[in-house]
């Protein structure tokens, strides 16, 4: 439910012609006037996962992002963050392999990575280098589902073997289950459907290995010396 100031903004289109005037903060006590705006009548706002600014370890919250369009005569604002128009189609884009794997798109700017994200960062870099050293065509992608605002990251796609790889910095149950859900979500956006691989810092315990195996997910983890161990789904299933 939209409450308080958010509710007033959401109902602006029905407010009988009241102006919606936008200001941005500047250094010092002053503000900068950006002009008159209106809500996008097609999609006035979207609900999305938002970080808690300044608290990197706190779980993301569900928030509202209002979509504002300038009224006639209002110039395009400069020096403020803007977003692309919502697309009616899902958009899959490639990302540069050399950019940091973390923070992910949608995280707040300047946020420091958590320890588990640091582990995942190193794992992803090592594994992508390992695959490329064998001549594999490895790429990164983002997926923005139709009518969604924030692009979702895809850790790695090995186009040589048609595999989608999701990495986690821990073998704890919550991390493995999160990887499982992400694989289910992201796989549907690629054609032909890729095989699923989870990259972990070590071999998961018996029950979690069985979870992966029974859902046709291979597991990869590093070995001493820079190489990687891999277990196929059939080898992970426990009776």
């Amino acid at each position: 439910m939209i409450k308080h100031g958010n509710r007033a903004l959401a109902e602006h289109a029905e407010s009988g012609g009241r102006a919606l005037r936008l200001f941005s903060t500047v250094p010092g006590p002053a503000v900068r006037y950006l002009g008159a705006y209106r809500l996008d009548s097609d999609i006035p706002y979207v609900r999305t996962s938002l970080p808690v600014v300044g608290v990197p370890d706190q779980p993301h919250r569900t928030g509202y992002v209002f979509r504002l369009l300038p009224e006639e005569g209002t110039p395009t604002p400069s020096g403020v963050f803007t977003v692309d128009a919502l697309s009616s189609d899902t958009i899959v884009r490639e990302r540069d392999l050399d950019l940091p794997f973390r923070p992910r798109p949608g995280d707040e700017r300047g946020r420091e990575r958590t320890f588990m994200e640091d582990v995942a960062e190193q794992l992803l870099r090592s594994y992508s280098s390992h695959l490329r050293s064998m001549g594999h065509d490895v790429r990164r992608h983002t997926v923005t589902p139709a009518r969604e605002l924030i692009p979702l990251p895809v850790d790695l796609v090995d186009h040589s073997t048609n595999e989608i790889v999701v990495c986690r910095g821990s073998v704890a149950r919550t991390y493995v289950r999160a990887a499982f859900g992400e694989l289910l979500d992201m796989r549907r956006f690629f054609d032909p459907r890729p095989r699923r691989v989870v990259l972990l810092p070590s071999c998961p315990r018996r029950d979690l290995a069985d979870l992966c195996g029974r859902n046709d997910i291979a597991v990869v983890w590093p070995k001493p010396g820079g190489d990687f161990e891999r277990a196929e789904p059939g080898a992970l299933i426990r009776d």
Side-chain angles (χ1 to χ4, degrees), residues 202-214:
S202 62
C203 179
R205 62 182 185 269
R206 183 185 181 97
D207 178 59
L208 294 175
D210 184 72
L211 171 67
C212 292
R214 292 182 186 276

Side-chain angles (χ1 to χ4, degrees), residues 51-56 102-104 106-113:
V52 179
V53 178
V55 190
R102 304 294 196 276
R104 295 177 152 194
D107 285 345
E108 67 271 32
R109 297 178 182 181
R111 180 178 72 83
E112 294 185 0
R113 290 197 303 263

Side-chain angles (χ1 to χ4, degrees), residues 137-207:
D137 178 11
V138 181
R139 308 179 205 173
R140 300 172 61 202
H141 299 270
T142 60
V143 174
T144 307
R147 315 303 278 178
E148 290 290 334
L149 179 67
I150 296 177
L152 305 172
V154 179
D155 286 339
L156 288 176
V157 176
D158 186 343
H159 290 273
S160 297
T161 58
N162 192 32
E163 293 181 340
I164 183 171
V165 180
V166 166
C167 180
R168 286 296 181 271
S170 171
V171 293
R173 181 176 297 273
T174 53
Y175 286 85
V176 175
R177 290 175 67 180
F180 172 66
E182 188 171 322
L183 284 168
L184 290 178
D185 189 9
M186 293 296 99
R187 178 176 183 255
R188 61 196 169 109
F189 297 114
F190 293 86
D191 187 27
R193 293 289 186 268
R195 291 185 293 273
R196 294 170 292 183
V197 178
V198 61
L199 175 62
L200 297 171
S202 62
C203 179
R205 62 182 185 269
R206 183 185 181 97
D207 178 59

